[in-house]
Structure formats: C-alpha cells, structure tokens
Amino acid sequence: MPENAANSLRDGQPVIRVVNLVKRFEGRAVLDGINLEVHKGQTLVIMGGSGCGKSTLLRQMIASIWPDEGHVEMFGQNLGELDDGELDKIRKRFGILFQSGALFNSMTVGDNVALPLREHSSLDGNTIEVMVRMKLELVGLRHAVDLMPSEISGGMKKRAGLARAMALDPEILFYDEPSAGLDPVTSAEIDQLMMDLTQKLGVASVVVTHEMDSAFRIADRMVMLDGGKVLKAGARSEFEAIRDASATGETTHDLIRQFLRGDSDGPITRRRLSSNYEEDILNAAAGKYS
Amino acid sequence: MTMSQAQRGWLERLGAKVLGGFRYVGGMSLMLGDTLRWTVLGLVSPRVRLGRRAIAEQLVRVGVRSLGIVVLVQLFIGVILALQMTPPLRDPWRQEAMIPNIIGEAGFRMLGPILTAVVITGFAGASIAAEIGTMVVAEEIEAMEAIALNPVRFLVVPRFWATFLAMILLSVVADLCIALGGHITALLVLGPTVYEGYWTRMQRQLDMLDFTTGLIQAGVFGTLISLIACYEGLKVRGGAEGVGRATTMTVVYSIVAIIIAACVFTVVFYVYKL
Ligand SMILES: Nc1ncnc2c1ncn2[C@@H]1O[C@H](COP(=O)(O)OP(=O)(O)OP(=O)(O)O)[C@@H](O)[C@H]1O
Ligand SMILES: [Mg+2]
C-alpha cells in the first residue's frame, strides 16, 4: 500500500490537512476555523478541555460527519469531493480507535479484529486467524480472542478496538483517548506500541488525550484547542517549555500552562468563575416564568 | 384575509408535520433502494458477499422465535371467527355450513398476513430497532463505516430479507392455523353441519389467487416492518432514551403502515376483482 500513498502524495506533503474547518451544532460553532497538518511518521496530539470538540474534529477527519465550512484532505485528496467508492478506498488506509472502543457487540473479540481482514483482504481463513492473534498479542489480549465484548473490561475493549484499528496495517491511525481507563503499565505499553507504529512503520498518528504523561511521551507535535480555535500548535518541546516555565501573566501562555500542569488555579478556572453564576441562574428562572 | 396567530401556528405545525412525513418516506425509500442495490450487487458481483449466514441467523431470530406466538394467536382467531359468525349465519338462514368458506377467505386473504405482521412487529421490529439503535449509541455504526463496511449492506440487508421471508413463511402457517382453529371449534362446539366437509368446502371456496394475494401482502408488510425498524434504529440519537423512543415508534408506525397498506390492497383487489 505505500506505493499507493506515493501515487497521491508528493514528498513532504502532509498525509492529513485540515483547512479552515468550521462545525456547528444547532447554530453554535463548536469548531471555528481549525487548521492543522499531520505528516507521515509523525504523532500529533490534540488537547483541550472536555467538550471542546476533540472527538468532533476526529469524526470529521475520518469522514464520519462533515464540516459546515472548510475541508479535510487525506493523502492529498479532499474528502468532501470523493464518491463512496473512493472514500472506502481511503478508509481502508486508516484505522480509528473510538473513545468507547466501539467493538461490535454481537461478535467475539477475535471476529471484531478479523472482520476488516475478511472483508477487505484476500487472505484465507487460516492466515486471518494468525493475523488476528498477532494483532491481539500486540495489545496484550491474545487470551481474549474468543470472549464477547460484554465479557471484557473497559480497558480491554479499548485495546481490542486498537487491535481492530490496526488490522489492515493502516497508514494513519486515529486514537480518541487511548489510555483513558487503562492502568499505568498497560497505558505505557500502549504508548510504546503507538511509538513503534509511527517510528518503525511510518504510520501517522492523531491522538486525542487528556493524559499529559502519555501526551509528552508520544507527541511529535501538539495542538491545544480552546473555544473552537487552535490556541496553540507546535512541537512537543515548545509545550514542554511552557509547562516548565513559570506563569507570565500572558493569558494564552498561562492557560496552556495550567492545562498541561493540571493546576486547580489559573486562567481556565478564573474564566469559569468570572461568569456570574448567580445572575445566570436568576435570569434563567426569570426567563422561564415570565 | 389575514390569519390569526393561532391559525398560523396551527398551519405551520401541520406544514412541518407533512414535510416531516415526506422526509421520512423519502429516507425510507432511499434505504429500500440501497438495500435492493446491495442485494443485486451481492448476487451478481463475487466481490460483494451478502452473508447468507447473517440472513439465516436473522431468519431464526425473526421467524423461529415468533412461530409459537403466531400459531397461538391464529388458532384463537380461527376460534373467534367460527364462534362469532355462527349465530348470524344460523338464524334464520341456516347457512352455518358456509363458515369454512368465510374463514378461508378472510384468513388467507387478510387476517393471516395482517395479524402475523402485527406479531412480527412486536417481536422482530421492536428488537431490530432496539438492536440497531444500541449500535448507533455505542458508536458501532461509525466504527463500521470507518472500516469501509456499509451499514445498509451489513445490517439492513440481512434483516430486510429475513423479515420478508419470515413474513411469507409464517403467513402460510398462520393461514393453516386460522383454518384449524375454525375446525377445532366446529368439532367441539358447532356440530356436524359445520365440521362435516369443512376442508372440502374451504378448498372449493379458495383459489390460488386468494393464497397469492395474501402472500404478496405478507411480503409487503415484512418490507414495511424491517424498513421502519432499521430506519428508526439508524436515526437514534442520544443514548438509551433514544433507543426506547425508536422501539416505540417502530411499533406504532409499523402497525399504522401495515393497516394503510392492507386497506390500499383491499381497494385495489376489489376494484380489479382480484
Ligand atoms: N451530534 C451532536 N449534536 C449536537 N451537539 C453535539 C453533537 N456532538 C457533539 N456535540 C457537542 O459538541 C461539543 C464537542 O463535543 P466532543 O464530543 O467533540 O467533545 P470532546 O472534546 O471530545 O470532549 P471529551 O473530552 O469529553 O471527549 C460538545 O459541547 C457536545 O455537546
Ligand atoms: Mg471526546
């Protein structure tokens, strides 16, 4: 499949490009003019407060929902201009781990991983069996091959979802909070696996995560979303510098710093407290009964 | 002429309802088109597998599990028909020997298929909507699309054909059960004028057309049930509550759709003397 990539990608061209993307829900712009790029063999970590639109952004990168404005390019092709057949070809070249794992609950863990192989490869049954076990071994789940999703824990579901995402040896992997709900050791192992995939196989990764240790371990580049915009995008070292610096009084800097350090005081907290909630509540009540 | 606020509100709501109705029917028609397209592709193209096993699994779930209820319900319908028709036929015209003719006609043409459809709606329609809705909530549908598997092909096609086949097969069973219910009633309650020659009279009354029109309707009812159930399931939004609403709406819409379709069929058959 790499020759495929070469067909549509010039040297140095990003595998994913998000251009001026706007997404509204019920008139409210959840994402408001997002631009970013991911290159081959690179890991981009997306950060931001809960509900700021990280999963929504990911969903648009995988063509599951469509932006209201702007577009997403993958392998140099604008997703919005492709027909179903072309989209399916692209889909076979990336894998995604959903926030919930999203296993098919009516199939065993093994069948979940086998499904993309059965549908999209010409491998025979035995080879598929072997491949499935290999992928499950990578995420430490070989013993769970015959279990149903309802019989495994949340963290195991996530790992099984990762094995399924890797089934077709994708060129891009998307992860929505891969280490949430995993114990520290498993989480570190998954991080290692993600790094191996990018470094050894040249996979490009887009990772949404709240775990800062993990983020700094795996990231090449990072972006921080806030209020529907990219607050800052840069190399990992830039974010490390902000984390380790002291507060400067400059809002953006301090906001990122608070987020990265997980401090309970800082611009994020002050912003939340400054909106006068008593007035809000009274207004809401007045609106309801007037 | 100016409209009052209240009138306009009323009109707007009606307009919105009508539009919503069109959108619903349009969406279902698109899904039907997709389902048929994937079926044809599956039959002609070796690269698209239809998953006969999936259809068989669904058939077991839709058909076999409702079989007992269908038998039970239709036997009782036979009993009810026989008992209710006897007094008006007997007095004063002594025509109760006609009971098998009427049971055959009513059962094979309409009651067999329509009541089977109602049972299947409750049994299979609701569970299909709940199942697919739950998959939507668990991001399974998105995951499916993300690995380039079409949900219509994977989820709708097997359920569609399974429901279609189950409706036809169960309607045959249903027809026989209604007839049998009438016969048992005749034997136990109504006496020899009714039960002697019961089956011959029924056979003489019925021709192939009675049977086939019934089965055509059964197929259409099956189509309606599976389409509504899949459609409601796929458009679930927002958690368990959405799934609950989808199941309820599936049952409501299916029953309404079935009865409207039955009425249309009856009118057409009547006009064309079928
Ligand atoms: N289908 C939808 N309809 C309406 N609003 C939505 C929909 N999907 C997401 N939203 C809204 O968009 C915002 C962003 O949601 P999203 O799931 O992308 O957040 P997130 O950054 O992934 O949060 P978390 O870190 O908690 O996973 C939220 O405010 C959510 O309410
Ligand atoms: Mg999220």
Side-chain angles (χ1 to χ4, degrees):
Chain A
M1 259 176 260
E3 69 275 12
N4 225 345
N7 285 344
S8 48
L9 269 189
R10 291 186 305 277
D11 258 1
Q13 202 183 356
V15 280
I16 305 172
R17 219 155 78 87
V18 174
V19 184
N20 294 328
L21 178 141
V22 177
K23 181 71 191 176
R24 297 188 195 90
F25 286 120
E26 285 123 31
R28 186 174 61 98
V30 172
L31 297 170
D32 189 9
I34 303 287
N35 286 287
L36 39 94
E37 290 185 353
V38 188
H39 289 265
K40 191 169 180 331
Q42 212 182 48
T43 301
L44 173 76
V45 167
I46 301 177
M47 302 172 293
S50 184
C52 77
K54 303 178 298 294
S55 299
T56 305
L57 178 57
L58 225 49
R59 288 207 159 91
Q60 295 173 89
M61 293 195 198
I62 61 163
S64 167
I65 58 174
W66 298 95
D68 294 306
E69 286 169 35
H71 67 269
V72 176
E73 285 169 24
M74 206 183 279
F75 307 116
Q77 290 165 284
N78 180 344
L79 295 181
E81 291 169 357
L82 303 180
D83 64 29
D84 284 351
E86 291 167 325
L87 261 183
D88 276 352
K89 273 197 199 115
I90 296 252
R91 285 178 172 132
K92 292 174 203 165
R93 295 171 65 187
F94 68 73
I96 173 157
L97 168 59
F98 284 89
Q99 197 163 354
S100 63
L103 295 182
F104 304 126
N105 282 306
S106 57
M107 300 177 188
T108 63
V109 168
D111 283 340
N112 263 279
V113 182
L115 186 65
L117 293 165
R118 288 198 188 119
E119 292 300 325
H120 299 314
S121 75
S122 45
L123 302 173
D124 64 86
N126 284 334
T127 320
I128 290 179
E129 282 294 301
V130 174
M131 298 271 286
V132 166
R133 270 154 229 268
M134 271 165 51
K135 303 287 173 191
L136 284 174
E137 176 64 27
L138 283 178
V139 296
L141 277 184
R142 193 161 45 89
H143 61 281
V145 62
D146 291 321
L147 296 180
M148 297 303 283
S150 56
E151 297 168 325
I152 64 179
S153 75
M156 290 163 82
K157 278 184 197 162
K158 208 155 242 186
R159 284 185 279 154
L162 177 54
R164 185 180 67 190
M166 295 187 306
L168 292 173
D169 297 322
E171 296 158 65
I172 307 177
L173 270 165
F174 298 93
Y175 307 81
D176 199 345
E177 304 195 10
S179 40
L182 300 186
D183 63 81
V185 174
T186 315
S187 163
E189 283 168 3
I190 295 290
D191 287 348
Q192 189 57 50
L193 173 62
M194 290 161 66
M195 288 190 283
D196 286 348
L197 289 169
T198 40
Q199 285 156 13
K200 295 185 185 147
L201 303 175
V203 174
S205 308
V206 179
V207 187
V208 168
T209 183
H210 289 303
E211 315 279 317
M212 285 306 139
D213 290 343
S214 157
F216 280 108
R217 221 167 11 221
I218 58 179
D220 296 301
R221 294 181 62 79
M222 304 174 105
V223 297
M224 167 110 190
L225 301 182
D226 187 57
K229 308 228 185 252
V230 173
L231 190 62
K232 180 179 175 58
R236 174 180 60 189
S237 54
E238 295 174 49
F239 281 82
E240 273 167 345
I242 295 179
R243 178 192 59 183
D244 300 335
S246 47
T248 60
E250 199 262 315
T251 318
T252 306
H253 178 278
D254 286 359
L255 197 151
I256 297 171
R257 180 174 173 273
Q258 185 191 359
F259 191 89
L260 297 178
R261 297 164 66 101
D263 291 344
S264 60
D265 187 32
I268 302 176
T269 321
R270 282 198 292 275
R271 181 172 62 190
R272 192 152 49 221
L273 292 180
S274 71
S275 69
N276 190 337
Y277 79 96
E278 282 170 12
E279 211 169 286
D280 256 18
I281 293 170
L282 288 177
N283 282 343
K288 204 160 194 172
Y289 298 111
S290 67
Chain B
M1 201 179 80
T2 57
M3 280 189 290
S4 72
Q5 197 80 15
Q7 270 176 324
R8 188 167 325 129
W10 184 83
L11 259 180
E12 261 169 24
R13 267 194 315 238
L14 182 71
K17 274 247 160 14
V18 171
L19 264 182
F22 275 122
R23 196 167 305 135
Y24 196 91
V25 173
M28 280 212 337
S29 314
L30 285 180
M31 204 169 76
L32 176 62
D34 254 5
T35 307
L36 297 179
R37 190 170 61 89
W38 280 112
T39 306
V40 173
L41 275 178
L43 293 177
V44 299
S45 154
R47 289 197 35 229
V48 179
R49 287 189 294 125
L50 264 193
R52 272 161 239 271
R53 218 188 63 191
I55 298 184
E57 268 168 24
Q58 292 299 326
L59 191 56
V60 168
R61 161 184 165 184
V62 176
V64 178
R65 278 176 40 197
S66 351
L67 180 65
I69 305 283
V70 168
V71 169
L72 196 71
V73 166
Q74 304 289 12
L75 279 174
F76 285 140
I77 293 294
V79 173
I80 293 171
L81 280 180
L83 286 180
Q84 283 205 324
M85 276 183 310
T86 303
L89 285 174
R90 181 181 287 154
D91 310 316
W93 294 295
R94 308 234 149 264
Q95 288 294 319
E96 65 264 40
M98 290 293 286
I99 281 176
N101 306 54
I102 299 176
I103 289 185
E105 194 78 5
F108 279 69
R109 274 194 168 250
M110 184 55 73
L111 289 174
I114 204 170
L115 289 170
T116 305
V118 171
V119 171
I120 298 263
T121 298
F123 240 106
S127 92
I128 287 173
E131 182 194 29
I132 295 186
T134 308
M135 294 181 74
V136 171
V137 173
E139 298 179 312
E140 285 185 47
I141 308 290
E142 263 178 290
M144 195 170 267
E145 284 176 334
I147 51 178
L149 300 180
N150 184 298
V152 170
R153 172 185 153 212
F154 264 82
L155 299 175
V156 181
V157 169
R159 284 162 184 76
F160 178 89
W161 289 113
T163 315
F164 183 84
L165 285 174
M167 264 306 300
I168 291 186
L169 297 175
L170 285 178
S171 289
V172 176
V173 175
D175 293 348
L176 298 177
C177 287
I178 293 184
L180 188 63
H183 187 67
I184 293 171
T185 316
L187 280 175
L188 296 181
V189 186
L190 302 176
T193 17
V194 185
Y195 70 70
E196 275 171 10
Y198 181 95
W199 296 106
T200 351
R201 262 172 286 144
M202 189 178 284
Q203 263 172 23
R204 220 175 292 142
Q205 172 69 37
L206 295 175
D207 52 28
M208 205 53 203
L209 207 55
D210 294 307
F211 189 61
T212 46
T213 50
L215 292 193
I216 289 170
Q217 290 183 79
V220 170
F221 297 160
T223 303
L224 288 171
I225 296 167
S226 60
L227 283 180
I228 291 173
C230 292
Y231 190 72
E232 283 291 332
L234 283 173
K235 78 183 179 65
V236 164
R237 292 293 170 271
E241 174 198 319
V243 176
R245 194 166 43 236
T247 27
T248 311
M249 289 337 275
T250 298
V251 173
V252 173
Y253 289 156
S254 297
I255 290 181
V256 172
I258 288 164
I259 291 180
I260 292 176
C263 181
V264 171
F265 271 119
T266 310
V267 170
V268 170
F269 292 157
Y270 181 82
V271 169
Y272 291 97
K273 301 195 167 55
L274 289 172

